[in-house]
Coordinates of all heavy atoms in Angstrom, one line a residue:
Q54 N 74.4 44.7 -38.1 CA 75.2 44.7 -36.9 C 74.4 44.6 -35.6 O 73.4 45.3 -35.5 CB 76.1 45.9 -36.8 CG 77.1 45.9 -35.7 CD 78.1 47.1 -35.8 OE1 78.0 47.8 -36.8 NE2 78.9 47.3 -34.8
T55 N 74.8 43.7 -34.7 CA 74.1 43.5 -33.4 C 74.7 44.4 -32.3 O 75.9 44.4 -32.1 CB 74.2 42.0 -33.0 OG1 73.7 41.2 -34.0 CG2 73.4 41.8 -31.7
D56 N 73.9 45.1 -31.6 CA 74.3 45.9 -30.5 C 74.1 45.0 -29.2 O 73.0 44.9 -28.6 CB 73.5 47.2 -30.4 CG 73.9 48.0 -29.1 OD1 74.9 47.7 -28.5 OD2 73.2 49.0 -28.9
F57 N 75.2 44.3 -28.8 CA 75.1 43.4 -27.7 C 74.8 44.1 -26.4 O 74.3 43.5 -25.5 CB 76.3 42.5 -27.6 CG 76.5 41.5 -28.7 CD1 77.3 41.7 -29.7 CD2 75.7 40.4 -28.7 CE1 77.5 40.9 -30.8 CE2 75.8 39.5 -29.8 CZ 76.7 39.7 -30.8
G58 N 75.2 45.3 -26.3 CA 74.9 46.1 -25.1 C 73.5 46.4 -24.8 O 73.0 46.6 -23.7
S59 N 72.6 46.3 -25.8 CA 71.2 46.6 -25.7 C 70.4 45.3 -25.6 O 69.1 45.4 -25.5 CB 70.7 47.5 -26.8 OG 70.7 46.7 -28.0
M60 N 71.0 44.2 -25.6 CA 70.2 42.9 -25.5 C 69.8 42.7 -24.1 O 70.5 42.9 -23.2 CB 71.1 41.8 -26.1 CG 71.4 41.9 -27.6 SD 72.3 40.5 -28.1 CE 71.1 39.2 -28.1
D61 N 68.6 42.1 -23.9 CA 68.0 41.8 -22.7 C 67.6 40.3 -22.7 O 66.6 40.0 -23.3 CB 66.8 42.6 -22.3 CG 66.3 42.3 -20.9 OD1 66.8 41.4 -20.2 OD2 65.3 42.9 -20.5
V62 N 68.5 39.4 -22.2 CA 68.2 38.0 -22.3 C 67.0 37.5 -21.5 O 66.5 36.4 -21.7 CB 69.5 37.1 -22.0 CG1 70.6 37.4 -23.0 CG2 69.9 37.4 -20.6
F63 N 66.6 38.3 -20.5 CA 65.5 38.0 -19.7 C 64.2 38.6 -20.1 O 63.2 38.6 -19.5 CB 65.7 38.3 -18.2 CG 66.8 37.5 -17.6 CD1 68.0 38.1 -17.3 CD2 66.7 36.1 -17.5 CE1 69.1 37.4 -16.7 CE2 67.7 35.4 -16.9 CZ 68.9 36.0 -16.5
S64 N 64.2 39.3 -21.3 CA 63.0 40.1 -21.7 C 61.7 39.2 -21.9 O 60.6 39.7 -21.7 CB 63.3 40.8 -23.0 OG 63.6 39.9 -24.1
N65 N 61.9 37.9 -22.3 CA 60.7 37.1 -22.4 C 60.4 36.2 -21.2 O 59.5 35.4 -21.3 CB 60.9 36.2 -23.7 CG 60.9 37.0 -25.0 OD1 60.2 38.0 -25.0 ND2 61.7 36.6 -25.9
A66 N 61.2 36.3 -20.2 CA 61.0 35.4 -19.0 C 60.0 36.1 -18.1 O 60.1 37.3 -17.9 CB 62.3 35.3 -18.2
P67 N 59.0 35.3 -17.6 CA 58.0 35.9 -16.8 C 58.6 36.3 -15.4 O 59.5 35.6 -14.9 CB 57.0 34.8 -16.6 CG 57.7 33.6 -16.9 CD 58.8 33.9 -17.9
A68 N 58.2 37.5 -14.9 CA 58.7 37.9 -13.6 C 58.1 37.0 -12.5 O 56.9 36.6 -12.6 CB 58.4 39.3 -13.3
P69 N 58.8 36.7 -11.4 CA 58.2 35.9 -10.3 C 57.0 36.7 -9.7 O 57.0 37.9 -9.8 CB 59.3 35.8 -9.3 CG 60.6 36.3 -10.0 CD 60.2 37.1 -11.2
T70 N 56.1 36.0 -9.2 CA 54.9 36.6 -8.6 C 55.4 37.5 -7.4 O 54.8 38.6 -7.2 CB 54.0 35.5 -8.0 OG1 53.7 34.6 -9.1 CG2 52.7 36.2 -7.5
A71 N 56.3 37.1 -6.6 CA 56.8 37.8 -5.5 C 58.3 37.9 -5.5 O 59.0 37.0 -5.1 CB 56.3 37.2 -4.2
S72 N 58.8 39.0 -6.0 CA 60.3 39.2 -6.0 C 60.6 40.1 -4.8 O 59.8 41.0 -4.5 CB 60.7 39.9 -7.3 OG 60.6 39.0 -8.4
I73 N 61.8 39.9 -4.2 CA 62.2 40.7 -3.1 C 63.0 41.9 -3.6 O 64.1 41.7 -4.2 CB 63.0 39.8 -2.1 CG1 62.2 38.7 -1.7 CG2 63.5 40.7 -0.9 CD1 63.0 37.5 -1.1
D74 N 62.5 43.1 -3.5 CA 63.2 44.3 -3.9 C 64.3 44.8 -2.9 O 65.3 45.3 -3.3 CB 62.3 45.4 -4.2 CG 61.7 45.3 -5.6 OD1 62.1 44.5 -6.4 OD2 60.7 46.1 -5.9
A75 N 63.9 44.6 -1.6 CA 64.9 45.2 -0.6 C 64.7 44.4 0.7 O 63.6 44.0 1.1 CB 64.6 46.7 -0.4
C76 N 65.8 44.3 1.4 CA 65.9 43.7 2.7 C 66.2 44.9 3.7 O 67.2 45.6 3.5 CB 67.0 42.7 2.9 SG 66.8 41.3 1.7
T77 N 65.3 45.1 4.6 CA 65.4 46.2 5.5 C 65.8 45.7 6.9 O 65.8 44.5 7.1 CB 64.2 47.1 5.6 OG1 63.1 46.3 6.2 CG2 63.7 47.6 4.2
S78 N 66.1 46.6 7.8 CA 66.5 46.1 9.2 C 65.3 45.5 9.9 O 65.6 44.7 10.8 CB 67.0 47.3 10.0 OG 66.0 48.3 10.1
D79 N 64.1 45.7 9.5 CA 63.0 45.1 10.2 C 62.0 44.5 9.3 O 60.8 44.2 9.6 CB 62.2 46.1 11.1 CG 61.4 47.1 10.3 OD1 61.8 47.4 9.1 OD2 60.5 47.7 10.8
G80 N 62.4 44.1 8.0 CA 61.5 43.5 7.1 C 62.0 43.4 5.7 O 63.2 43.4 5.4
F81 N 61.0 43.5 4.8 CA 61.3 43.3 3.4 C 60.4 44.2 2.5 O 59.2 44.4 2.9 CB 61.1 41.8 3.0 CG 62.0 40.9 3.8 CD1 61.5 40.4 5.0 CD2 63.2 40.6 3.4 CE1 62.2 39.6 5.8 CE2 64.0 39.7 4.2 CZ 63.5 39.2 5.4
H82 N 60.8 44.6 1.3 CA 59.9 45.2 0.4 C 59.9 44.3 -0.9 O 60.9 43.9 -1.4 CB 60.5 46.6 0.0 CG 60.5 47.6 1.1 ND1 61.0 48.9 0.9 CD2 60.2 47.5 2.4 CE1 60.9 49.5 2.0 NE2 60.4 48.7 3.0
L83 N 58.7 44.0 -1.3 CA 58.4 43.2 -2.5 C 58.2 44.0 -3.7 O 57.7 45.2 -3.6 CB 57.3 42.2 -2.2 CG 57.4 41.4 -1.0 CD1 56.2 40.4 -0.8 CD2 58.7 40.6 -0.9
D84 N 58.4 43.5 -4.9 CA 58.3 44.2 -6.1 C 56.8 44.6 -6.4 O 56.5 45.5 -7.2 CB 58.9 43.5 -7.3 CG 58.1 42.3 -7.7 OD1 57.4 41.7 -6.8 OD2 58.1 41.9 -8.8
N85 N 55.9 43.9 -5.7 CA 54.5 44.2 -6.0 C 53.9 45.3 -5.1 O 52.8 45.6 -5.0 CB 53.6 43.0 -5.8 CG 53.7 42.4 -4.4 OD1 54.3 42.9 -3.5 ND2 53.1 41.2 -4.3
G86 N 54.9 46.0 -4.3 CA 54.5 47.1 -3.5 C 54.3 46.7 -2.0 O 54.1 47.6 -1.2
V87 N 54.2 45.5 -1.7 CA 53.9 45.0 -0.4 C 55.2 45.2 0.5 O 56.3 44.9 0.0 CB 53.5 43.5 -0.3 CG1 53.5 43.0 1.1 CG2 52.2 43.3 -1.0
K88 N 55.0 45.8 1.7 CA 56.1 46.0 2.6 C 55.8 45.2 3.8 O 54.8 45.3 4.4 CB 56.3 47.5 2.9 CG 56.7 48.3 1.7 CD 56.9 49.7 2.0 CE 57.3 50.5 0.7 NZ 57.5 51.9 1.0
I89 N 56.8 44.4 4.2 CA 56.7 43.6 5.4 C 57.6 44.2 6.4 O 58.8 44.3 6.2 CB 57.0 42.1 5.1 CG1 56.0 41.5 4.1 CG2 57.0 41.3 6.4 CD1 56.4 40.2 3.5
G90 N 57.1 44.6 7.6 CA 57.9 45.2 8.6 C 57.6 44.7 10.0 O 57.1 43.6 10.1
G91 N 58.0 45.4 10.9 CA 57.8 45.1 12.3 C 58.6 43.9 12.8 O 58.2 43.2 13.7
G92 N 59.7 43.6 12.1 CA 60.5 42.5 12.5 C 60.1 41.1 12.0 O 60.6 40.1 12.4
S93 N 59.1 41.1 11.1 CA 58.6 39.8 10.6 C 59.6 39.2 9.6 O 60.2 39.9 8.8 CB 57.2 40.0 9.9 OG 56.2 40.2 10.9

Side-chain angles (χ1 to χ4, degrees):
Q54 185 173 352
T55 303
D56 179 7
F57 291 103
S59 67
M60 293 181 75
D61 182 1
V62 295
F63 294 114
S64 62
N65 292 328
T70 307
S72 292
I73 303 160
D74 275 350
C76 300
T77 66
S78 61
D79 73 335
F81 305 88
H82 294 184
L83 305 181
D84 71 334
N85 60 6
V87 172
K88 294 181 179 180
I89 298 169
S93 289

